Amino acid sequence: MAVSPHDLAILGGSPSFAEPLHVGRPNIPDERRAMERIQQAIDRRWLTSFGPLVKQFEHDLAAQAGVRHCVATCNASIALQVLLRASGLRGEVLMPSFTFIATAHTLQWEGITPVFCEIDEATGNIDPKHARQLVTERTTGIMGVHLWGHPAPTEELAALAEEHGLRLFYDSAHAIGSARNGRPVGSFGDAEVYSFHATKFINSFEGGAIVTDDDELAERVRSMHNYGRGEGEYVASIGTNAKMTEVAAAMGITSLENMPQLIEVNRERYEHYRAGLDGVPGIWLRRPLPENSVNHQYVVFEVDEERAGLSRDDLVAMLVAENVLARTHFHPGCHRTEPYVRDQARHAPLPLPHTEALSGRIVMLPTGTGVTTEDVDTVCGLIRRAVADAPSVRAAARARAASSW
Ligand code: T4K
């Protein structure tokens, strides 16, 4: 059936999706197996504090990354804090501004100043040349981010860290299952941190993990995530409670053992979006670099307002009206966010034009097992029609924004 542009919900038609399509709808790959494991934990009355499921999850994660140590935690934010505290970092740490706010907040929370670096617009990842310009005598480390699961320029960051004697960590919240030149994420820098929040394609309801090959650091992290305790009741240092529960580990193990199939689902959705958006003026899907293999957990496209005839925000308004809850992660960049925006000289001493430009162009679309390839075709059709009837859609989006004030 031929559909006219005027059927778009933003122009007065009814939404294409009766139920919202979410970015971040959780994958639950083998519910029966997950429930069995949860039941086992309940039966054995061992619910947290290093039970067999947490131990297995840690073992499986370390094996997947090809490293010696893994410490599972209750979420990635606390994992980053524990890692920073255990490594003794102070002063300033370089990080990309274009990331989720948790990357910056965990540094600031630990009394470390996040200093925001520029990105390479082609990859969205930190630009090591810009980072180099920001190294001062106060710099003690680099927090790289594998944005949207696309591995950062690990070789250049390792060279920069070595040259200046800096610790190098990665916020790998998005990137389990991705690899650079065949080497898995999880094995770079001094340590990496995963997130298993429900919205991540490998989830443990809430959860995180620190993976490292550094024996000493692993020991400190393990102790600090358990109140600073060593063997038995002996307290070795300050610590917190960052432990993962058995229920979380049950879900995490089940997700992880299905990771190849989940990546395949993501890849298939990505290819569908790519074909469906091919040739739409001013719209293009972001692609991985040839040296990176990625988990495709985020599908992101860019909008060139001039060529599409629509701004990014007009397009998002159209999608939301259709019940496609597209996101703009990570607009506007940490440097434009409280509290950092109030002290630019300290947090963003150099301008960040590439971050500003890219963050204004991107749209994140729903994907994963909660989205069918037919859904993807429908979403692509909506974007095509919106661009084809750009003046009306633009006017409707502006009217909608004005009425919501
Ligand atoms: N570093 C980076 C680079 C990160 O992206 C993140 C987190 C972290 C560190 C810290 O990791 P954690 O401490 O969280 O382990 C979300 C997530 O809460 C957060 O984990 C994630 N990154 C960030 C990018 O997005 P929200 O506030 O947008 O998510 P939320 O929970 O409102 O969910 C978004 C949508 O997903 C909902 O509108 C509907 C859908 N959803 C969500 C949940 C939780 C479901 O359908 N079912 C669900 O159970 O922050």
Side-chain angles (χ1 to χ4, degrees):
M1 183 181 65
V3 191
S4 115
H6 299 285
D7 292 332
L8 290 169
I10 203 158
L11 301 177
S14 38
S16 300
F17 293 94
E19 295 295 324
L21 270 195
H22 289 282
V23 171
R25 198 67 161 171
N27 295 315
I28 305 184
D30 187 345
E31 198 173 322
R32 191 190 53 79
R33 194 70 189 102
M35 293 306 284
E36 260 172 28
R37 287 186 165 120
I38 291 170
Q39 189 62 54
Q40 285 163 8
I42 291 172
D43 291 346
R44 69 170 80 89
R45 295 289 190 272
W46 199 280
L47 305 184
T48 187
S49 296
F50 323 114
L53 292 174
V54 166
K55 282 188 184 144
Q56 184 187 334
F57 193 33
E58 290 180 339
H59 169 272
D60 295 351
L61 287 167
Q64 197 280 327
V67 297
R68 284 195 295 280
H69 308 283
C70 173
V71 177
T73 60
C74 51
N75 62 51
S77 301
I78 298 290
L80 285 164
Q81 285 170 221
V82 168
L83 175 62
L84 292 166
R85 184 66 74 101
S87 65
L89 282 192
R90 308 304 304 159
E92 296 178 354
V93 166
L94 308 177
M95 60 163 279
S97 172
F98 195 52
T99 174
F100 188 52
I101 198 63
T103 321
H105 279 354
T106 50
L107 288 162
Q108 184 82 4
W109 194 269
E110 289 303 319
I112 300 162
T113 303
V115 174
F116 301 124
C117 300
E118 187 55 295
I119 50 164
D120 174 351
E121 276 188 62
T123 64
N125 275 319
I126 189 167
D127 174 356
K129 290 182 196 63
H130 192 268
R132 183 177 295 276
Q133 294 173 49
L134 290 170
V135 175
T136 68
E137 70 283 355
R138 296 180 298 279
T139 313
T140 57
I142 303 171
M143 180 64 75
V145 178
H146 305 299
L147 188 84
W148 301 321
H150 293 233
T154 50
E155 307 80 8
E156 284 166 274
L157 291 176
L160 181 62
E162 192 175 345
E163 195 181 314
H164 293 279
L166 308 175
R167 294 310 290 264
L168 174 58
F169 298 125
Y170 287 98
D171 175 340
S172 311
H174 305 166
I176 189 167
S178 297
R180 184 166 175 84
N181 294 314
R183 182 174 159 182
V185 162
S187 64
F188 294 104
D190 295 308
E192 302 202 40
V193 170
Y194 299 134
S195 169
F196 304 118
H197 181 263
T199 53
K200 303 295 183 297
F201 89 112
I202 300 296
N203 88 82
S204 64
F205 303 106
E206 289 261 8
I210 300 160
V211 277
T212 181
D213 253 338
D214 182 328
D215 300 342
E216 262 178 55
L217 185 61
E219 201 180 314
R220 276 201 301 280
V221 160
R222 187 164 287 287
S223 165
M224 280 187 172
H225 100 302
N226 181 32
Y227 317 99
R229 292 199 291 200
E231 287 295 314
E233 300 294 306
Y234 167 71
V235 176
S237 72
I238 189 163
T240 186
N241 177 3
K243 300 190 302 289
M244 177 176 270
T245 67
E246 287 290 275
V247 168
M251 187 69 152
I253 294 165
T254 313
S255 282
L256 188 63
E257 68 194 7
N258 286 281
M259 187 162 76
Q261 296 89 308
L262 291 172
I263 292 180
E264 187 48 31
V265 168
N266 291 344
R267 197 193 56 73
E268 198 187 6
R269 305 298 183 264
Y270 166 79
E271 293 297 347
H272 241 75
Y273 273 121
R274 208 167 92 158
L277 294 176
D278 190 37
V280 183
I283 302 286
W284 66 99
L285 211 61
R286 294 186 62 86
R287 296 166 185 228
L289 293 176
E291 59 268 38
N292 287 345
S293 73
V294 305
N295 57 31
H296 286 299
Q297 75 169 306
Y298 296 109
V299 172
V300 180
F301 75 89
E302 290 182 50
V303 184
D304 174 346
E305 181 168 355
E306 222 167 278
R307 286 172 50 223
L310 284 172
S311 71
R312 184 273 303 275
D313 293 344
D314 294 339
L315 252 176
V316 170
M318 181 282 294
L319 288 167
V320 170
E322 299 287 350
N323 251 341
V324 180
L325 305 190
R327 306 290 296 258
T328 56
H329 282 323
F330 293 99
H331 179 85
C334 297
H335 70 294
R336 292 272 177 217
T337 307
E338 293 285 353
Y340 315 105
V341 66
R342 274 181 276 152
D343 194 353
Q344 294 281 303
R346 188 151 172 249
H347 293 290
L350 294 178
L352 304 172
H354 298 294
T355 302
E356 309 246 337
L358 185 64
S359 75
R361 290 199 306 262
I362 44 102
V363 182
M364 190 178 268
L365 291 168
T367 187
T369 54
V371 177
T372 64
T373 49
E374 290 74 31
D375 293 337
V376 171
D377 292 340
T378 305
V379 174
C380 293
L382 291 170
I383 296 170
R384 267 182 190 282
R385 275 185 272 149
V387 171
D389 199 14
S392 321
V393 171
R394 195 171 55 230
R398 307 275 155 101
R400 194 181 153 90
S403 72
S404 68
W405 278 102

